[in-house]
Amino acid sequence: MRTLAPGSTIGILGGGQLGRMLSVAAAQLGYRCHVYAPNANSVAAEVAAEFTCAQDDDVAALTRFAESCDVVTFEFENVPVGPLQKIRDCAPLHPPIAALDIAQNRIAEKVFARDHGGTTAPFAEVSDRATLDIALAEIGTPAILKTIRMGYDGKGQSRIRPGDDLEDHWQAVAGKPCVAEGFVTFSHEFSVILVRGQDGEIRFWNTPHNVHEDGILAISTAPAPDAILAQQDAARALAARMAEAMDYVGVLTCEFFATESGPVFNEMAPRVHNSGHWTIEGAVTSQFENHIRAICGLPLGDTGLAANRVEMHNLIGPQADEWQALLADGANHLHLYGKGETRPGRKMGHVTKTYF
């Protein structure tokens, strides 16, 4: 295990709000952060000690960046794997490249979960328009068509209902390679959020109940209702097996559906996650601090609840403009991400309330 002393430099690939919150947590522990992102307007860079603005496939720039860091992590799972393979000897990278490789391919991700004892929705690969018909004949409709790579918060997806014109759906995903998934009948959505240290220790946060609107997370609440808690152990066991198989270090999030027959794995995020934002005020140690602790080889912090109940609401688009009204309630903890442009569907911040 490699322990980094305060004053060391943590490299963060990606310049969004997750990198911003990681940088804040790192600064509290005495670390410096160096953000690497392709966009000049980086909200993470605003709170970091250093910033490199360069493309994700610029190996020369990535090499200089990694050589300036004592450890490198990422806040975005779509960082290209190829260039990272070329700089892997410049600085330790946590979580491992293998986790990125799996998470970037929806089919590989589902196969990986199944190989470790998980249950997924029925699915079939769709490589072209003709195989879409074959896939739907196999899994039926309703179904959802998702691009194999990229796509999040409802992007790169198209919901197929019985009788739909499939050509419209194929155009909606721009004819890209996809996976067709059968619908899952579920009562709740939830996520398992764990942190794994360099020594293999795993700790779990309380399992949040997640509510989505238009494919975007709207609310996360902990503790979860009994219907979720009854399936928590099985979901946690799968997430732990997956983490151990990848020799994972850092925070890992796995999303699940609670069904009559048990938890159904949906997808994993090899990073800190939106459904864990409540941990900043709602847990003894936040997901951001524990991620920093893990990648720096420090002892992991307590993941227990810091209140009887915690509720986190995402602020999407113009909802963030209500910041004055939100702050008028002294119990609200407001987090605005510093993004300049408000757009529909864009995560602009979140607000958390703790109940004692």
Side-chain angles (χ1 to χ4, degrees):
M1 189 167 77
R2 184 169 182 262
T3 300
L4 296 181
S8 301
T9 297
I10 299 169
I12 300 175
L13 294 165
Q17 66 264 20
L18 299 180
R20 183 185 181 97
M21 289 182 271
L22 281 170
S23 293
V24 171
Q28 290 175 336
L29 292 172
Y31 295 102
R32 303 173 72 257
C33 284
H34 184 167
V35 168
Y36 184 105
N39 299 318
N41 297 323
S42 164
V43 297
E46 292 177 350
V47 298
E50 296 180 70
F51 177 43
T52 294
C53 183
Q55 295 303 306
D56 291 331
D57 59 356
D58 187 336
V59 175
L62 278 168
T63 300
R64 290 192 296 271
F65 159 76
E67 288 177 342
S68 75
C69 301
D70 297 293
V71 67
V72 174
T73 190
F74 46 86
E75 59 108 56
F76 182 58
E77 67 265 40
N78 287 319
V79 177
V81 168
L84 294 186
Q85 296 281 12
K86 297 178 181 180
I87 65 163
R88 62 190 313 163
D89 294 331
C90 297
L93 176 66
H94 299 303
I97 292 177
L100 277 178
D101 208 18
I102 293 166
Q104 288 177 6
N105 185 311
R106 294 185 190 277
I107 291 177
E109 182 180 54
K110 293 178 186 301
V111 170
F112 185 70
R114 284 188 175 184
D115 286 348
H116 290 87
T119 299
T120 70
F123 68 92
E125 184 173 358
V126 177
S127 56
D128 53 34
R129 174 65 182 82
T131 53
L132 175 58
D133 294 316
I134 297 170
L136 294 181
E138 178 184 339
I139 68 174
T141 55
I144 184 165
L145 193 62
K146 300 179 180 179
T147 54
I148 290 177
R149 294 187 178 274
M150 305 296 286
Y152 55 92
D153 289 343
K155 301 178 180 70
Q157 302 182 12
S158 189
R159 293 178 180 271
I160 302 173
R161 296 171 177 80
D164 281 359
D165 184 344
L166 297 184
E167 189 63 33
D168 292 340
H169 293 286
W170 187 240
Q171 293 301 320
V173 295
K176 295 179 180 178
C178 288
V179 58
E181 297 179 10
F183 267 35
V184 174
T185 300
F186 62 91
S187 60
H188 300 82
E189 294 179 82
F190 67 97
S191 50
V192 167
I193 310 168
L194 65 80
V195 61
R196 186 173 187 268
Q198 292 183 35
D199 60 357
E201 180 188 3
I202 292 177
R203 295 190 180 189
F204 296 93
W205 280 271
N206 274 69
T207 300
H209 172 211
N210 300 325
V211 176
H212 291 78
E213 296 176 2
D214 298 324
I216 302 174
L217 180 65
I219 305 170
S220 288
T221 307
D226 290 344
I228 290 175
L229 296 180
Q231 302 188 13
Q232 176 177 268
D233 287 351
R236 283 181 170 181
L238 172 62
R241 290 194 297 271
M242 292 169 65
E244 288 165 352
M246 294 183 286
D247 195 18
Y248 197 92
V249 174
V251 170
L252 173 68
T253 305
C254 293
E255 297 182 78
F256 292 88
F257 301 113
T259 75
E260 289 186 354
S261 57
V264 172
F265 173 86
N266 182 30
E267 60 186 26
M268 76 175 193
R271 53 170 172 79
V272 288
H273 192 259
N274 193 178
S275 66
H277 288 358
W278 62 269
T279 63
I280 297 174
E281 290 84 22
V284 177
T285 310
S286 76
Q287 64 167 346
F288 301 99
E289 180 179 334
N290 256 344
H291 186 82
I292 298 300
R293 285 178 178 235
I295 67 173
C296 292
L298 305 179
L300 299 179
D302 187 344
T303 54
L305 280 177
N308 292 326
R309 181 170 172 269
V310 188
E311 192 170 279
M312 185 279 295
H313 290 253
N314 268 334
L315 300 176
I316 309 297
Q319 292 175 346
D321 296 338
E322 302 300 318
W323 55 270
Q324 285 183 302
L326 290 167
L327 288 173
D329 183 344
N332 282 339
H333 298 275
L334 179 63
H335 298 258
L336 296 177
Y337 303 149
K339 298 179 179 179
E341 183 183 358
T342 299
R343 297 194 301 266
R346 192 181 196 194
K347 294 174 181 174
M348 303 298 294
H350 71 269
V351 61
T352 303
K353 182 174 284 190
T354 52
Y355 299 86
F356 294 92

